Amino acid sequence: MLEGGVEVSAVGSSPCQGPVPRRGALPTPSAADDLPLHIVWSGRTGYSLDRPKSRMTLYRTVLAEGLREDLVTLLHHRLLAEQWPVLRRLISPCIREVWENAFPELLRTAPADTTAA
């Protein structure tokens, strides 16, 4: 498992359009303050990454609205993996597919689907 953040590429092979994450290394941030308007256009703009619920909200928002630079700057691989079992159910299937294809270790953190078909 990666110890740092994520690096992303704007080129992807997924049917979902958007950045494709790649492995990289960044320090673990402790807070995200004053996020740009293209990520959060109303309401809360600061998050504490030391609090799981706050981090979950931030990561969900960044995954949905962030640009390449935002993904690199604001997401940390270990923290993302820790929250992935819940976070994967809060994001769109398209975003989930892109991230799980790029980072297969996220699938190992996700619980097995127990719903009957």
Side-chain angles (χ1 to χ4, degrees), residues 5-11 18-22 26 29 32 35-36 38-39 58 62-63 65-76 99:
V6 295
E7 180 181 332
V8 296
S9 169
V11 178
V20 175
R22 294 191 185 189
L26 295 173
L35 295 176
H38 67 269
I39 297 177
L58 169 67
V62 171
L63 287 170
E65 306 295 338
L67 303 174
R68 177 189 188 280
E69 297 80 23
D70 304 317
L71 299 173
V72 172
T73 304
L74 298 170
L75 301 182
H76 185 272
W99 282 82

Side-chain angles (χ1 to χ4, degrees), residues 14-29:
S14 171
C16 301
Q17 297 300 313
V20 175
R22 294 191 185 189
R23 291 171 176 82
L26 295 173
T28 305

Side-chain angles (χ1 to χ4, degrees), residues 28-88:
T28 305
S30 60
D33 297 319
D34 299 323
L35 295 176
L37 287 176
H38 67 269
I39 297 177
V40 288
W41 50 88
S42 67
R44 181 176 172 183
T45 61
Y47 300 85
S48 171
L49 300 181
D50 297 331
R51 295 189 352 243
K53 186 173 181 178
S54 179
R55 185 171 65 235
M56 181 83 66
T57 303
L58 169 67
Y59 277 29
R60 179 182 182 192
T61 304
V62 171
L63 287 170
E65 306 295 338
L67 303 174
R68 177 189 188 280
E69 297 80 23
D70 304 317
L71 299 173
V72 172
T73 304
L74 298 170
L75 301 182
H76 185 272
H77 189 274
R78 182 182 53 79
L79 298 177
L80 179 67
E82 287 174 5
Q83 295 211 199
W84 194 253
V86 174
L87 184 60
R88 70 184 305 272

